[in-house]
Structure formats: C-alpha cells, structure tokens
Amino acid sequence: MYNKVYVEITNSCNMNCSFCHGHKRAPRRMTMEEFALILDKLTDQTKYIYYHLMGEPLTHPLLPEFIKMAGARGYKSIITTNGTLLNGRGEELLSAGVHKINISLHSFENRVGDDFERYVCDLAEFAKNAATQGTIVVFRLWNQGFDGGKNDSALHLLKERISGDWVENTRGIRIRDKIYLEWGERFEWPDSDAEIKGTKFSCYGLKDQFGILSDGTVVPCCLDSDGIIHLGNIFEEDINIILNSKRAVDMVEGFRCGVASEDLCKKCGYAQRFV
C-alpha cells in the first residue's frame, strides 16, 4: 500500500507563483464521475488522497463533495493550497471532513504591504478554527533563500495571533496541537530541457507515492507536471496493471540500485535530496 496518492482534480490555479514550474496542458477539471471511479480503483492502494499535482484545488467547485465521497470510502483527504481562497471556502472543507490542510505560505513571495499582512493574519485565524474542529494545519515556508526577509515577518505575524508552545524541531515548529510550521529550501523541478543533476539517483516515486493527472494519466510522482512519464490512464486501465508495467518496474528497480531509468528523473533536483 502506498503512503499517498496525488489526485490532480484541476490543473488550473488562481495564482502564478515564482517557485511553481507550471505545465503546458490544456485546462481541465475532473468530473464527479471521474473522481468516483478513481476512488473505486484506488481501493487497497492507499488511505491518503492528496488533491493536487498542479493547480489550486480550492478552485474546483466540487471539492467539498469530493472530500465527503473520499471519507465515505475510508480515505483521508489532504489539501495543499496557496491559502488565498480559504476565507471563502475554508468552512466548506472543514464541514466536509478534510483531514489536513497544507498552506504554502511561500506563495506570498510576490505580495507586499497590507496585502501580505492580511493574507497571513487571515490564515492564522483559519488555522485556529480548523484545529478546534480536528483538522491538522501545516504552514509551509519552502523558500529559504528566496523570501527576501518575508519569512521572518510571517513568523512574527503568526506568533502574534496563534498562542502555543512553538517548539522547534529539525523540520520546523510545532506551534500547538494540530498546528505546525515546516520550512525547507526551494528545489528545482524536473524539466526535460534541464541538465542532468547527478550520477546517482533515488526517489520515493512508485515506492511511497504516485500521481494521477486531471485527465487520468498516471505518473510516478507529484513533480511530473506535464505527464512526461506516462504510465497509463486510470480511466481506461486497471491500476494494478499500470503500476506493474515494465516501465514502472524498471523505475523502481533502477532507484533501488541508484540508477534513473527515465531521462526526466535524471534532471530532477529534488530527487538528489534522497541520494
């Protein structure tokens, strides 16, 4: 069983963040029928559904219904969002039973002044409300070296508005029960036009996770934004056949030996973290 499966319910976003690789695919949203089919086919594959590869999941009008559907089938739903739409839609997600919400605070890199302060303060209030309803909230600052000093400002604003223990660890801060902060360095997305990143390669793709793009394309990890490593289509094929295909098996066996069987993996800066 996989620790997580990324399901891209939409590949459209309401922002254009500097850290995001983006994609070249046509805009698309999953239908209710398509999402239900995916949930059925993922039986015994995972218990955790992550609602993105590309795109902002809160732009999908059916997101609360998707969360309820997943919950009824025994899945736990994890949302990763830029946070800009939580003021209008956050309560819907909490009522639907979302398990965890990751908020990419590094999406504020291009925000300034009052807009930035209001953004952080609104998210602090949402986090407190969500925690009281049993939902985990994780603030992410995955932009060390690119924040222009805004990370310190964000931390100051959060500390003013969220009381807690604020205990630091190697990954970030436990603010209080069900509210956390994670930090990390910005990473290089895999790009077919990039240079090869190393001589040894390792990855959690197809070992810990795999992804499903909005058109049903199955990819090995959450960073294959254009579906270059197309393993199959879950709308058309059995997921077990897809995951046991020669291409998928070659990837897993290769990583076990420190070898990347796919050119895209050789050009992934993030994968070098696991070598």
Side-chain angles (χ1 to χ4, degrees):
M1 182 174 286
Y2 294 86
N3 287 340
K4 65 194 93 170
V5 175
Y6 292 87
V7 179
E8 181 190 72
I9 61 172
T10 177
N11 61 14
S12 298
C13 188
N14 63 327
M15 294 185 70
N16 185 25
C17 297
S18 59
F19 61 85
C20 182
H21 181 271
H23 64 87
K24 301 173 184 176
R25 295 173 285 134
R28 194 182 191 282
R29 288 175 176 167
M30 278 189 187
T31 66
M32 184 83 75
E33 293 75 19
E34 289 171 339
F35 187 72
L37 178 61
I38 286 174
L39 293 180
D40 289 342
K41 290 195 172 187
L42 290 181
T43 300
D44 298 327
Q45 295 292 343
T46 189
K47 287 297 181 184
Y48 293 91
I49 305 292
Y50 283 63
Y51 288 67
H52 77 288
L53 274 86
M54 290 284 101
E56 167 54 56
L58 270 72
T59 64
H60 200 304
L62 297 177
L63 177 56
E65 295 306 313
F66 287 175
I67 294 172
K68 291 176 186 176
M69 289 168 58
R73 289 166 168 80
Y75 298 101
K76 292 187 177 181
S77 294
I78 293 89
I79 305 295
T80 297
T81 173
N82 59 44
T84 57
L85 302 177
L86 282 171
N87 255 352
R89 303 207 67 193
E91 195 57 47
E92 290 181 89
L93 307 188
L94 299 180
S95 298
V98 63
H99 174 67
K100 179 180 177 183
I101 299 178
N102 299 313
I103 302 175
S104 298
L105 281 182
H106 41 273
S107 63
F108 65 59
E109 286 179 359
N110 299 325
R111 290 170 169 262
V112 295
D114 293 342
D115 188 33
F116 161 68
E117 183 171 342
R118 183 167 52 252
Y119 167 75
V120 178
C121 293
D122 286 348
L123 292 177
E125 294 306 310
F126 171 79
K128 290 189 289 186
N129 178 39
T132 62
Q133 298 189 47
T135 295
I136 300 167
V137 176
V138 179
F139 295 108
R140 288 179 170 178
L141 292 172
W142 289 6
N143 62 341
Q144 290 181 345
F146 291 86
D147 64 291
K150 287 185 178 179
N151 284 3
D152 290 338
S153 298
L155 285 171
H156 175 73
L157 291 168
L158 290 174
K159 283 184 176 180
E160 281 188 335
R161 285 156 179 81
I162 307 177
S163 61
D165 301 325
W166 286 84
V167 176
E168 293 193 25
N169 55 51
T170 55
R171 296 188 60 189
I173 297 172
R174 180 189 181 278
I175 298 175
R176 70 188 205 196
D177 185 41
K178 297 192 181 301
I179 305 180
Y180 303 85
L181 184 143
E182 293 179 351
W183 51 57
E185 297 176 354
R186 184 187 286 200
F187 59 86
E188 292 183 60
W189 291 68
D191 191 296
S192 56
D193 295 326
E195 296 180 354
I196 293 175
K197 300 301 181 183
T199 57
K200 293 193 67 177
F201 304 91
S202 184
C203 185
Y204 288 118
L206 295 176
K207 176 182 177 183
D208 172 86
Q209 59 168 272
F210 63 90
I212 302 168
L213 300 181
S214 55
D215 66 353
T217 297
V218 177
V219 292
C221 78
C222 61
L223 297 181
D224 188 357
S225 60
D226 277 310
I228 292 174
I229 308 176
H230 186 302
L231 299 176
N233 191 295
I234 196 169
F235 296 153
E236 303 166 358
E237 304 166 67
D238 183 277
I239 189 61
N240 289 298
I241 293 175
I242 294 172
L243 296 174
N244 287 286
S245 65
K246 183 179 186 305
R247 191 174 191 181
V249 171
D250 285 349
M251 288 188 68
V252 174
E253 292 299 321
F255 285 135
R256 189 172 292 136
C257 301
V259 176
S261 63
E262 297 285 340
D263 286 342
L264 187 68
C265 300
K266 297 175 184 177
K267 299 174 180 180
C268 178
Y270 192 77
Q272 289 299 301
R273 297 184 177 193
F274 309 120
V275 175

